[in-house]
Amino acid sequence: MSLSEAFTGLPPRRDPRGLLSLADLTPDRLAALARRSVEFYRDPTAHRDPLRGLLVGVVFTRTSTRTRTAFTAGVERLGGRAVGYGPGDLQTNTGESPADTARMFGLMLDGIVTRTAGPLADMRELSAESGLPVVNAMAAEEHPTQGVCDLATILLHRGSLDGVRVLYVGEGNNTATALAQGLSNFADARLHLLTPDGYGLPENVLKETTARASGNGGFVTESHDASAVPADVDFVYTTRWQTTGTSKPDASWRETFRPFHIDETFLSGTPGALFLHDLPAHRGEEVSGAVLDGPRSVAWSQARMKLCSAMAVLEYAFAGQG
C-alpha cells in the first residue's frame, strides 16, 4: 500500500529501524559512527546536506539541554527541518494512544528522534507503527546516542578505541549500559565499573557485554569498593547520580553514593587518566568543580561532541550514509 495514494484502513507497520540500541549495531558500524563524529567535530560542514527535504520530529517527553539542542541543531545543519515537541505538546496527554500518535507521525514526518523515561520496547513500537526510522535519544534502559558520543570523544583524544582502559564510577544506569554496549565491541578494550552496591549494571547487560568483550580480548568488570580504584586507566568517567526520569527506593541513597565522589584526591589515584562526564553535572555530588573544570577534564569537548555525534547518527539513520 502506498501512502501517496488514497487508502483505507490503518497505515502499514514496518520492522523497527533507525538507531535504537548499540546492541543492534555491528562493530564496524559503531567504529564508522565514531569516526564520522570526529570528522564532524573537526569540520561541521563536511557533508552535502544529506537531510535536505526531510522533516524530523524531535520528541522529548523529559527534560534535556544538550541532547535536544544537539539533535535539533544537527537536523538543521544537515539541511533538514526539525519539528520540536516538548513534554506537554502531544495529545497522548489527553488520552490518544501512542500507536495512533505514531501513525500520525508516519503520515507527516520522515523520521523521529525521541527521549522518554519509558522502555526501549515503546520506541521500537513507535518505529513499527509510524513506519519511520527512530533514534533513541534516551530510554529507561539505554542512552545509545550518548554512547556514540563517548566512543567518539575517546577516539578524538586517544586516537584509537582498541585497547582503551576506562573506569566508570557511579550508578550502572542507561549511560553506563550504552558505554558497556559500545566498548565491548573493540579489541582489548577494558571497562571497569565502580558502582555502589545494589546500583550496578543490569545483570543481563553485564553478562552480555562481559561475554562480548572477552571474545574481543578485553573485559567488562564491576566492583563496589570505592577505596579500591584501578590506577592504570586512560579515562575516568562519571555521570550525575540522579538519572533523568527515575527515582531511587532508598531514601538515604546519597550517603551510599558519597564514597564515589570524584575529587582531586580520587583522580590522583589515576595519574594518567583524562576525565569524562556526560553532563549535566552537580558539582559537589558526583564530581568536584576542581575536577570538572580542571586541566584533565575533557567533559567540555565531550559536550561539543554531542552535536557532532548527533549529526553522524542522523546521517546514518535518516539518510543511509556514513
Side-chain angles (χ1 to χ4, degrees):
M1 179 173 65
S2 171
L3 297 184
S4 64
E5 302 172 357
F7 65 91
T8 59
L10 293 175
R13 280 176 59 98
R14 294 189 61 173
D15 291 336
R17 57 199 175 105
L19 196 157
L20 294 159
S21 170
L22 296 191
D24 297 337
L25 303 183
T26 65
D28 286 347
R29 173 54 59 196
L30 275 170
L33 283 171
R35 288 194 302 269
R36 187 61 168 146
S37 301
V38 171
E39 289 174 3
F40 281 135
Y41 188 98
R42 291 177 172 147
D43 181 5
T45 68
H47 60 84
R48 297 184 177 181
D49 292 340
L51 301 192
R52 182 179 295 279
L54 300 186
L55 287 173
V56 176
V58 180
V59 185
F60 276 52
T61 65
R62 287 296 182 269
T63 57
S64 174
T65 301
R66 277 146 294 276
T67 306
R68 186 171 179 178
T69 302
F71 276 102
T72 302
V75 169
E76 301 277 344
R77 286 177 180 267
L78 293 173
R81 295 295 302 275
V83 182
Y85 304 89
D89 291 342
L90 299 178
Q91 294 291 1
T92 48
N93 291 300
T94 64
E96 182 175 44
S97 73
D100 284 352
T101 300
R103 292 166 188 142
M104 183 282 300
F105 283 146
L107 298 172
M108 300 186 186
L109 299 173
D110 300 299
I112 300 169
V113 178
T114 187
R115 162 175 286 191
T116 75
L120 176 57
D122 287 355
M123 293 188 183
R124 295 193 188 278
E125 277 299 297
L126 174 62
S127 181
E129 291 291 354
S130 68
L132 299 176
V134 169
V135 169
N136 172 5
M138 193 180 79
E141 301 97 328
E142 186 183 348
H143 196 348
T145 60
Q146 182 64 54
V148 174
C149 174
D150 296 340
L151 295 177
T153 305
I154 291 169
L155 181 62
L156 175 72
H157 285 276
R158 186 174 178 271
S160 175
L161 289 161
D162 292 342
V164 67
R165 301 159 298 176
V166 179
L167 171 64
Y168 175 93
V169 184
E171 185 173 14
N173 56 16
N174 45 26
T175 291
T177 290
L179 187 66
Q181 294 281 20
L183 284 176
S184 60
N185 284 277
F186 294 93
D188 197 34
R190 287 161 279 179
L191 172 63
H192 186 100
L193 299 115
L194 183 60
T195 65
D197 193 19
Y199 292 94
L201 211 62
E203 185 176 348
N204 65 312
V205 175
L206 184 60
K207 181 178 179 180
E208 173 192 337
T209 57
T210 297
R212 185 185 303 120
S214 178
N216 289 316
F219 62 71
V220 174
T221 60
E222 185 176 271
S223 65
H224 310 295
D225 183 358
S227 66
V229 179
D232 188 21
V233 296
D234 302 306
F235 295 89
V236 174
Y237 190 155
T238 195
T239 186
R240 71 175 180 175
W241 291 339
Q242 187 62 58
T243 304
T244 301
T246 66
S247 59
K248 295 179 175 59
D250 180 8
S252 62
W253 66 267
R254 291 184 189 278
E255 294 307 310
T256 302
F257 276 70
R258 177 55 55 184
F260 297 85
H261 169 77
I262 296 179
D263 56 14
E264 291 175 297
T265 300
F266 185 105
L267 207 60
S268 69
T270 58
L274 298 176
F275 176 73
L276 291 161
H277 193 305
D278 58 349
L279 304 178
H282 287 186
R283 290 171 172 83
E285 287 198 348
E286 75 277 4
V287 64
S288 70
V291 168
L292 181 65
D293 304 325
R296 292 166 62 185
S297 174
V298 297
W300 298 101
S301 62
Q302 185 181 6
R304 171 173 164 77
M305 189 63 81
K306 289 284 285 188
L307 169 62
C308 308
S309 59
M311 290 171 67
V313 167
L314 289 163
E315 185 180 56
Y316 160 70
F318 299 149
Q321 300 184 34

